[in-house]
Amino acid sequence: MLIKRIQLLGRIGLAFLGDIGRATLILYHALVGKPDWVHGFGRLIQQLYSVGVLSLVIIILSGLFIGMVLALQGYTILVKFGAEHALGQLISLSLVRELGPVVSALLFAGRAGSALTAEIGLMKTTEQLSSMEMMGIDPLRRIIAPRFWAGQISMPLLALIFNCVAILGGYTVGVEWLGVDTGAFWANMQSAVDFYADVMNGVIKSVVFGTVITWIAVYQGNDCTPTSEGIGRATTRTVVYSSLAILGLDFFLTAVMFGET
Amino acid sequence: MHFKQTATHKVMKPNLDNLVEIRQLHFMRNSRVIFEGININVTRGKVTAVMGPSGSGKTTLLRLIGGQLNPDSGKVVVEGENIAKLSRQKLYESRQRMGMLFQSGALFTDISVFENVAFPLREHTDLPESMIRDLVLMKLQAVGLRGACQLMPGELSGGMARRVALARALAMDPSLIMFDEPFAGQDPISMGVLVQLIRLLNDALKMTTIIVSHDVKETMSIADYIYIIADGRIMGEGKPEDLLQSGTPWVQQFIQGLPDGPVPFHYPARGFANDLWNETV
């Protein structure tokens, strides 16, 4: 009985190490195999479209509503202390430091990450990746690398768009609807938000999240069991693992970036 | 390095007649033995068939030749190079001289028939667009599908998809072409077309062909030499006419498609009476 449990533990450990090894190899090849700008530019643009541009609708709409809710909730609390003029500060700091990178990353994992996994998984299931290998074309360079770089580039841009739209949503509710002074709203925001400490740290978070999400997505697609059930499981794993990784890394990055202030 | 196969496969001398040489190949997957020391020669310019029942490792053999899998022991030598020992870059260079037709066709579903065939040319060469166009049309003409060049893969029948995949596999003029179950699931006309195409293209383009199949009649009609594998071993080998005369019961059962024989009709089980009397399965 004990021996069987030890064996099971060993099998799980070896499988985990195997996963880490294969995922690291994919990351290595994706990083080394960045698209060459002569032949690969078109592919990168195509992937930027499917990974980034097609995620715009969900990012913009979510950003708008989150900004509006933030303004509504913030106002109801601030107004009790007569501090509603600080609404701009509250919205902007919440967004650029936390909500922008984290929520946009969660949405990105759900929209683009799952699509990447499903697409690569289906290519594997229909032997398209194998046929590419047999043509002497490395799928890690031809398929994985452009998608990885597109995810890397798209994520911070989507987070910035999310922030801008959310601030506009907050402005609409706070200033246009609830009557907060326009000057106070923007002036407080301008004085409270530091470009490097707040905006750039948020961008760094987005870059890290983008890397992790696309890494998980392309690995799960490339490593899935080549059946319809396997693709389904891999897609679910992408969303679950990405979401957990985003939240865990966010805590770690926040502690490093803002822990001492 | 090349090796010449003798009757016992033990003495190995260089042999330039063989494009592919497999020696003492052992391969296991999840503790299941797939190959147990098999030896295979694929002669240049000939059509060599590997036949065997489903699950006997035929497709695995093609993947070992293409370097997509590595043997546990033994070697797979293609054009003098031990495939398992090649660096990643050399392996991909070597694959440019191979073509492989997958069972599903494996066409890229988001691009047209024309672009599918042009794909390897665009990836590996810097040929001008006009030349790529001419080459693609020539390959499609060879498989009789020039008129379908603007169709999408989803608009093709199964047989047409395989012919397009064949045109794509021929795009780089490979010296070796491998077919994984080319006749599976084909209607009689498509099957006849594929049978004829495989033989004609092999002879006209001076290629070497490996066919993996369990369609006995079709494969025997075009193969120059046949290996029959099962249970990780070679059960029989020879020219089609020799195999037809083979005295081995297993080979005869396979070739004639007999339901019972050395491969029993019943899956191993305990006594039938025991099963009927017991309530649990």
Side-chain angles (χ1 to χ4, degrees):
Chain A
M1 193 67 182
L2 183 66
I3 295 291
K4 279 191 176 173
R5 282 185 184 172
I6 292 171
Q7 282 176 335
L8 180 69
L9 205 64
R11 269 203 298 276
I12 292 169
L14 284 174
F16 177 72
L17 287 175
D19 276 345
I20 296 287
R22 286 195 299 278
T24 308
L25 275 176
I26 282 186
L27 182 66
Y28 170 75
H29 286 293
L31 291 173
V32 172
K34 61 182 183 297
D36 66 286
W37 295 105
V38 182
H39 296 100
F41 187 69
R43 280 176 224 148
L44 184 64
I45 295 293
Q46 196 182 0
Q47 289 310 314
L48 280 171
Y49 174 77
S50 57
V51 169
V53 176
L54 292 181
S55 301
L56 269 177
V57 175
I58 191 171
I59 289 288
I60 288 173
L61 282 177
S62 306
L64 188 69
F65 286 122
I66 283 180
M68 289 163 77
V69 167
L70 208 54
L72 207 53
Q73 290 280 16
Y75 181 84
T76 54
I77 295 168
L78 290 173
V79 78
K80 290 179 186 168
F81 307 101
E84 65 272 21
H85 56 273
L87 187 65
Q89 180 180 349
L90 177 122
I91 291 173
S92 57
L93 284 180
S94 311
L95 282 168
V96 296
R97 282 183 173 194
E98 281 302 324
L99 286 175
V102 172
V103 176
S104 59
L106 289 171
L107 294 169
F108 184 76
R111 220 284 327 169
S114 59
L116 280 176
T117 302
E119 185 190 14
I120 295 170
L122 195 62
M123 290 182 85
K124 183 179 180 181
T125 306
T126 53
E127 294 183 309
Q128 293 181 44
L129 296 183
S130 285
S131 73
M132 214 173 266
E133 277 183 359
M134 287 307 299
M135 281 180 224
I137 300 161
D138 187 351
L140 292 180
R141 287 184 73 98
R142 180 63 176 72
I143 300 294
I144 306 291
R147 282 160 178 77
F148 181 78
W149 286 104
Q152 287 270 74
I153 296 167
S154 301
M155 184 66 257
L157 294 174
L158 288 171
L160 286 173
I161 292 169
F162 181 95
N163 286 343
C164 294
V165 174
I167 287 171
L168 283 176
Y171 170 83
T172 308
V173 170
V175 175
E176 302 293 338
W177 181 22
L178 300 171
V180 175
D181 181 65
T182 312
F185 184 88
W186 292 117
N188 269 320
M189 189 184 294
Q190 198 177 356
S191 62
V193 177
D194 184 82
F195 180 74
Y196 292 105
D198 299 318
V199 178
M200 286 314 290
N201 275 340
V203 171
I204 290 169
K205 277 186 178 181
S206 301
V207 172
V208 174
F209 296 157
T211 307
V212 172
I213 294 166
T214 42
W215 183 19
I216 291 172
V218 294
Y219 169 67
Q220 290 296 340
N222 195 53
D223 206 56
C224 76
T225 310
T227 59
S228 48
E229 190 193 3
I231 296 173
R233 281 175 188 269
T235 309
T236 308
R237 275 200 298 270
T238 292
V239 177
V240 173
Y241 292 173
S242 297
S243 304
L244 292 175
I246 290 162
L247 297 172
L249 279 169
D250 182 51
F251 172 74
F252 175 74
L253 290 170
T254 304
V256 171
M257 289 169 174
F258 307 107
E260 290 179 7
T261 56
Chain B
M1 177 160 318
H2 297 269
F3 298 94
K4 183 174 185 176
Q5 187 183 26
T6 66
T8 57
H9 305 301
K10 285 184 180 167
V11 181
M12 295 172 185
K13 291 179 186 172
N15 187 343
L16 293 171
D17 289 342
N18 295 333
L19 188 76
V20 180
E21 294 185 337
I22 296 172
R23 290 288 171 272
Q24 287 302 315
L25 177 70
H26 288 79
F27 185 75
M28 286 175 71
R29 183 177 273 164
N30 298 331
S31 75
R32 184 184 157 221
V33 176
I34 310 288
F35 297 121
E36 224 175 340
I38 64 166
N39 296 283
I40 288 177
N41 283 336
V42 177
T43 312
R44 283 177 198 273
K46 302 288 184 190
V47 176
T48 303
V50 179
M51 299 172 76
S54 300
S56 57
K58 303 186 295 296
T59 303
T60 304
L61 186 69
L62 293 188
R63 290 188 184 277
L64 284 158
I65 294 171
Q68 290 185 307
L69 296 170
N70 285 330
D72 294 327
S73 68
K75 60 171 82 173
V76 178
V77 180
V78 180
E79 290 191 287
E81 292 174 319
N82 186 344
I83 287 291
K85 301 284 181 197
L86 292 179
S87 66
R88 192 177 171 84
Q89 191 187 346
K90 289 271 183 197
L91 177 62
Y92 276 94
E93 284 171 11
S94 174
R95 282 176 183 160
Q96 289 179 34
R97 300 190 295 276
M98 300 179 197
M100 182 153 166
L101 188 77
F102 287 82
Q103 196 171 345
S104 61
L107 295 176
F108 304 126
T109 46
D110 55 337
I111 52 177
S112 67
V113 164
F114 181 94
E115 288 301 324
N116 261 286
V117 181
F119 189 85
L121 294 168
R122 292 195 203 286
E123 291 292 323
H124 291 307
T125 68
D126 287 321
L127 292 172
E129 193 55 37
S130 59
M131 193 173 284
I132 286 181
R133 182 179 174 278
D134 291 348
L135 283 170
V136 171
L137 292 179
M138 283 162 66
K139 303 297 176 190
L140 284 171
Q141 174 74 7
V143 298
L145 289 176
R146 183 169 49 81
C149 68
Q150 292 309 323
L151 296 180
M152 295 299 283
E155 299 173 273
L156 304 174
S157 68
M160 286 166 82
R162 272 184 215 182
R163 281 152 71 188
V164 173
L166 175 56
R168 187 178 66 179
L170 295 172
M172 293 295 289
D173 293 323
S175 52
L176 170 68
I177 188 155
M178 296 181 276
F179 294 87
D180 185 8
E181 298 285 5
F183 314 120
Q186 297 297 304
D187 62 68
I189 298 172
S190 299
M191 204 178 292
V193 169
L194 283 168
V195 167
Q196 191 190 27
L197 269 178
I198 292 171
R199 186 72 243 185
L200 273 176
L201 290 171
N202 181 82
D203 297 343
L205 302 175
K206 309 277 183 228
M207 292 187 305
T208 304
T209 301
I210 302 175
I211 301 176
V212 147
S213 177
H214 48 45
D215 293 290
V216 176
K217 188 174 146 235
E218 288 74 21
T219 308
M220 283 204 154
S221 69
I222 50 170
D224 294 306
Y225 200 84
I226 297 174
Y227 290 89
I228 300 180
I229 57 173
D231 300 330
R233 292 175 292 127
I234 292 177
M235 308 301 271
E237 65 176 279
K239 293 177 181 170
E241 56 272 24
D242 296 339
L243 281 176
L244 284 171
Q245 305 301 323
S246 169
T248 316
W250 197 100
V251 172
Q252 282 306 318
Q253 187 189 0
F254 181 77
I255 289 175
Q256 294 179 34
L258 302 174
D260 209 352
V263 180
F265 173 74
H266 289 288
Y267 192 81
R270 59 185 175 178
F272 190 34
N274 282 347
D275 266 351
L276 290 177
W277 284 110
N278 286 336
E279 289 189 356
T280 54
V281 177

